[in-house]
Amino acid sequence: MSDGKRIKADVAYPIAGKLMQMLRPHTEWIEVAGSLRRGSPDVGDVEIVAVPKGDMKPHDVMVETDNLVDLGVIKKAQIPLRKGGTTTRWGSKRRAISFEEVKFDLFCCDMDNRGLIYWLRTGPDSGKDRGSTTLMTWLKRKRAPFRVEGGYVKAGGRMLSISSESDWFDVLGLPYIPPTDRSASLYNKLFRN
């Protein structure tokens, strides 16, 4: 979602903390992901992954973002389009938010896919390092004994519960890789063996 404008991580973290504090009463779990989690010194936007409370449709956390827009606390972020112009991203599982001049991508998941979504949204997967895409492409080419479909991991006709990143790395047959060490080159190296 980044529009090319960068913000220092030490400025982004406290602003992310304020936004998460507003949303926390409406979630079972909420954490920072993306380049901020990977330890980048500056970021183009901040990704947040949340597990909403309950199973209401729409989720409580999304209803709360609607309320915060109505109150003028946050705005729907404008996303630049490749062919010019802008759009908003305001769906039931993903929202682009502007808060205190920082752009956020809010992703909702549930406890059965939290580990996969948190890994995916932590990346890296932009610019020159497309680590998440590299790994997912490798899994498709090698015909892994499971598939990722609609944000969930399925094997043998059943959905696997991937509630933590450690669960995801276990499914991959890899040791847990800290966010700061994740990269396309590391995934390529690990899967060549």
Side-chain angles (χ1 to χ4, degrees):
M1 176 182 76
S2 174
D3 59 6
K5 191 170 121 183
R6 310 290 292 175
I7 183 170
K8 295 283 184 197
D10 60 349
V11 173
Y13 255 116
I15 297 170
K18 286 181 196 177
L19 179 61
M20 290 192 309
Q21 195 62 31
M22 287 186 280
L23 299 177
R24 187 164 275 115
H26 308 280
T27 66
E28 291 181 28
W29 178 90
I30 186 167
E31 290 294 335
V32 167
S35 56
L36 196 58
R37 182 172 181 235
R38 291 192 319 274
S40 296
D42 56 33
V43 298
D45 62 4
V46 177
E47 295 186 333
I48 294 176
V49 178
V51 175
K53 278 190 178 173
D55 57 357
M56 290 175 29
K57 303 282 187 220
H59 298 301
D60 276 0
V61 72
M62 295 310 193
V63 170
E64 182 59 14
T65 58
D66 289 335
N67 293 338
L68 292 171
V69 166
D70 291 345
L71 293 169
V73 176
I74 66 173
K75 297 176 190 169
K76 295 179 181 180
Q78 295 298 308
I79 315 281
L81 297 171
R82 288 184 181 158
K83 295 182 180 183
T86 62
T87 189
T88 58
R89 186 176 294 131
W90 206 253
S92 62
K93 291 186 179 181
R94 182 178 185 184
R95 295 208 167 166
I97 296 167
S98 179
F99 175 63
E100 293 191 12
E101 304 302 317
V102 176
K103 290 189 176 180
F104 290 86
D105 256 337
L106 172 65
F107 298 90
C108 286
C109 57
D110 60 45
M111 292 306 284
D112 285 326
N113 70 346
R114 178 181 69 171
L116 172 65
I117 300 300
Y118 196 37
W119 167 82
L120 188 64
R121 296 305 167 193
T122 293
D125 205 45
S126 63
K128 294 178 184 176
D129 195 345
R130 309 224 19 114
S132 302
T133 298
T134 297
L135 179 57
M136 298 305 279
T137 302
W138 186 90
L139 291 172
K140 285 178 187 172
R141 269 193 272 135
K142 296 298 179 180
R143 292 188 173 81
F146 60 88
R147 68 185 190 284
V148 177
E149 185 178 293
Y152 293 88
V153 179
K154 297 180 180 178
R158 64 182 183 90
M159 185 179 74
L160 304 180
S161 178
I162 309 293
S163 63
S164 70
E165 284 184 322
S166 293
D167 291 345
W168 174 237
F169 282 103
D170 287 347
V171 167
L172 294 172
L174 296 175
Y176 178 82
I177 301 168
T180 54
D181 296 341
R182 297 175 192 172
S183 68
S185 61
L186 176 61
Y187 291 134
N188 278 325
K189 179 181 174 185
L190 292 169
F191 281 107
R192 271 197 303 256
N193 297 331

